[in-house]
Amino acid sequence: MTPGPDPASPDPERWARAQERIEDLLLRGPRTMTRGEVQQRTGFTPEHTARLWSALGFPATADDVRGFAEADVDALELSGRLLEEDTFDEAEELAVARALGQGLGRLAEWQATLVRRTIADTGKAHDPDAIVEAVEALVPTLEKLQSYVWRRHLAVTAGRMLATLAHPPEDGSSENRVVVGFADIVGFTSLSRKVDEVELRALLERFETVGTEVVARRHGRIVKTLGDEILFVADRVEDAVDIAFRLHDEVPDDDGHPALRVGLALGEVLPRYGDVYGPVVNIASRLTSEARPGTVLIDEDLTEALRATDLDLDIRAVPQLSVRGYRHLRPHVVRERG
């Protein structure tokens, strides 16, 4: 009896066929078109498609390479329709492409790692057919989940915007006046040298998981995570300071690891494609860098706003700070009484 092919054998043809099957699944068909043929189908200039392709985060494709599928043409036509309807101009189109490319690119990296780990757990990491089967099983489910989460977030955001329009702030302040907060892990660089990869992954997982839960439960919004740091915003000063206290309470384990420091600042932000910009963001970042482990450092505007609330807080001035970009910061430490 002739033995069948070894699933783990390094057969280039089997791996090539596996890649084709995965691309057919993800792109809904093979890559059969060159850049010139895409241009003929869509009417976009080569320069336009090249800029858009780069903004999405994809590597350049040579003119004679058949690197594009029907799905790519469909996406370009959808983008063109938005341009024609004046939903946004070409500059905004590229900015939207960058935002989508960066966010979804990170998501794709994580999902590919998930697939790889799933395969490794079955002992079939070197079997191309097993990899294809895992992708075929996981991708449709992940795609549906992504669509749900996006729609749910959009519903929450739309509701918040409509509420602001229906009930403008009585003090005339802008809807973009928020509390910006940073929370980072104390001594992360030194810590990362002392623990192995498994321990480091577990520490970061705890930080991000618990941090996200704390911010969400108290009506804040995670803007982004930066490895050992979380950037969040809150509309109400009461929620913002409560988030800071609960982060200190809930993120460290029973041994007090990881210890955090938190900085908060109140002011106007410029929202842009899911991120926030402005001096208040810089101030919150500087305060976090100067905060002592286990403390919350706040700026003058937030200090004044908190003192006008009914919260039972211990707010104390600390020496004036001179940091990069800000020579006369007058921060305060805020604590819960008792």
Side-chain angles (χ1 to χ4, degrees), residues 13 15 21 34 37 58 72 86 101 114 120 126 132 256 272 295:
E13 291 186 3
W15 285 102
R21 290 170 61 189
T34 64
E37 289 167 339
F58 301 131
D72 300 312
D86 292 330
L114 174 65
H126 300 289
V132 173
R272 181 175 170 81
T295 66

Side-chain angles (χ1 to χ4, degrees), residues 85 279 338:
E85 296 172 354

Side-chain angles (χ1 to χ4, degrees), residues 153 205-222 224-225 230 232 243 247 251:
H153 274 294
E205 185 67 26
R206 179 181 180 86
F207 174 55
E208 292 188 8
T209 300
V210 179
T212 299
E213 291 174 356
V214 167
V215 173
R217 284 202 309 266
R218 286 160 176 78
H219 311 290
R221 303 185 296 282
I222 294 286
K224 57 187 174 184
T225 56
I230 292 175
F232 64 91
I243 287 170
L247 286 171
V251 170

Side-chain angles (χ1 to χ4, degrees), residues 309-328:
T309 70
D310 296 328
L311 297 176
D312 188 15
L313 301 172
D314 179 13
I315 302 176
R316 299 184 183 184
V318 298
Q320 179 175 291
L321 293 177
S322 179
V323 296
R324 181 165 56 90
Y326 301 92
R327 298 183 59 186
H328 304 291

Side-chain angles (χ1 to χ4, degrees), residues 42 46 52 58 89 106 116 160 162 189 194 210 225 227 241 247 265 324 329 338:
T42 63
L52 190 58
F58 301 131
D89 57 26
R106 289 183 61 192
R116 183 173 182 177
R160 187 169 61 246
L162 290 172
T189 302
K194 298 176 182 177
V210 179
T225 56
V241 74
L247 286 171
R324 181 165 56 90
L329 282 181

Side-chain angles (χ1 to χ4, degrees), residues 67-338:
F68 300 93
E70 287 291 335
D72 300 312
V73 173
D74 293 344
L76 282 171
E77 288 176 343
L78 287 173
S79 184
R81 189 183 307 167
L82 292 174
L83 287 173
E84 291 173 0
E85 296 172 354
D86 292 330
T87 303
F88 45 55
D89 57 26
E90 188 172 330
E92 290 173 317
E93 177 194 36
L94 294 176
V96 169
R98 284 194 299 273
L100 287 173
Q102 292 169 12
L104 294 178
R106 289 183 61 192
L107 190 60
E109 289 284 347
W110 168 77
Q111 290 170 343
T113 301
L114 174 65
V115 171
R116 183 173 182 177
R117 189 168 66 244
T118 301
I119 292 295
D121 291 343
T122 66
K124 298 180 179 179
H126 300 289
D127 181 355
D129 294 328
I131 293 174
V132 173
E133 290 171 4
V135 172
E136 290 174 341
L138 284 172
V139 165
T141 302
L142 290 173
E143 186 174 25
K144 290 179 182 178
L145 184 59
Q146 282 176 205
S147 178
Y148 159 75
V149 173
W150 168 68
R151 288 178 178 276
R152 199 69 173 82
H153 274 294
L154 196 58
V156 171
T157 303
R160 187 169 61 246
M161 292 175 62
L162 290 172
T164 301
L165 291 172
H167 306 284
E170 295 181 1
D171 59 3
S173 61
S174 164
E175 63 181 287
N176 295 329
R177 183 174 172 81
V178 297
V179 180
V180 177
F182 282 90
D184 75 7
I185 298 174
V186 176
F188 178 76
T189 302
S190 174
L191 181 64
S192 63
R193 297 194 188 105
K194 298 176 182 177
V195 299
D196 60 26
E197 182 178 331
V198 174
E199 292 174 301
L200 184 61
R201 184 184 296 115
L203 182 145
L204 290 173
E205 185 67 26
R206 179 181 180 86
F207 174 55
E208 292 188 8
T209 300
V210 179
T212 299
E213 291 174 356
V214 167
V215 173
R217 284 202 309 266
R218 286 160 176 78
H219 311 290
R221 303 185 296 282
I222 294 286
V223 177
K224 57 187 174 184
T225 56
L226 306 166
D228 63 331
E229 188 172 62
I230 292 175
L231 167 58
F232 64 91
V233 296
D235 296 325
R236 300 174 67 247
V237 298
E238 296 90 342
D239 292 331
V241 74
D242 191 31
I243 287 170
F245 295 148
R246 301 292 79 77
L247 286 171
H248 281 309
D249 287 344
E250 299 183 28
V251 170
D253 60 20
D254 293 339
D255 295 324
H257 302 122
L260 304 182
R261 52 190 176 190
V262 179
L264 302 174
L266 173 64
E268 298 277 340
V269 297
L270 171 65
R272 181 175 170 81
Y273 305 109
D275 209 338
V276 290
Y277 301 87
V280 66
V281 180
N282 299 330
I283 290 172
S285 177
R286 304 292 188 271
L287 292 174
T288 305
S289 299
E290 296 295 327
R292 292 182 178 180
T295 66
V296 181
L297 212 54
I298 61 177
D299 74 333
E300 285 186 281
D301 288 342
L302 183 54
T303 298
E304 182 179 340
L306 287 173
R307 282 176 170 161
T309 70
D310 296 328
L311 297 176
D312 188 15
L313 301 172
D314 179 13
I315 302 176
R316 299 184 183 184
V318 298
Q320 179 175 291
L321 293 177
S322 179
V323 296
R324 181 165 56 90
Y326 301 92
R327 298 183 59 186
H328 304 291
L329 282 181
R330 294 181 173 83
H332 291 69
V333 172
V334 57
R335 298 182 177 89
E336 292 180 290
R337 292 191 186 277

